[in-house]
Amino acid sequence: MGIFASKERKYGDPLPHKEFVKAADSLMNDNKEAYEALDRCVNHSQINLPVPVRCSKEMGEWNGKVYQAFCNRLYHVAVKCQKAAGDEWDTKCKPEMNEIVACGDDAMRRLYQYNLEHARRPASSA
């Protein structure tokens, strides 16, 4: 179930807390390996580089899972816009791109709180 599972809900409306927790439980259970790989990279790496540089592969995989779980419909709307706009997608699809970024930011913020409430160390705590 994604963040926009309800037909009445508009694209940009976040899930109510109870539904979010259910979706987050599913995300964490179904993608444990990706989460743990990011956690290991962030918290146990000896490489002296910023986290986005040294853990870009792990962050990309985890972020993709988060976007699939919570922003899937927005993602497909943005891709459709980009395909239709061709080379001018960056200007013609700005509203769609802004919505998906806002959705991802909201999902990450809420997942951080979810992890604190469920005694999981957030992978982004570097």
Side-chain angles (χ1 to χ4, degrees), residues 36-104:
E36 288 174 350
L38 178 57
D39 181 63
R40 278 191 305 275
C41 184
V42 168
N43 294 304
H44 306 292
S45 177
Q46 299 298 318
I47 301 171
N48 191 19
L49 291 172
V51 170
V53 175
R54 76 173 187 255
C55 301
S56 62
K57 178 183 170 202
E58 294 85 356
M59 286 179 71
E61 185 176 337
W62 176 250
N63 290 348
K65 304 287 186 189
V66 170
Y67 275 86
Q68 287 173 3
F70 298 105
C71 307
N72 199 22
R73 284 180 52 196
L74 281 176
Y75 171 79
H76 290 294
V77 167
V79 168
K80 184 177 179 181
C81 181
Q82 288 175 343
K83 287 180 180 178
D87 291 341
E88 298 177 3
W89 70 267
D90 57 337
T91 54
K92 288 186 176 180
C93 301
K94 195 170 189 91
E96 290 84 352
M97 299 307 293
N98 287 343
E99 279 192 57
I100 195 167
V101 168
C103 174

Side-chain angles (χ1 to χ4, degrees), residues 111-122:
L111 276 172
Y112 183 85
Q113 183 64 37
Y114 165 89
N115 285 331
L116 292 175
E117 291 171 358
H118 291 80
R120 289 187 178 103
R121 180 176 53 205

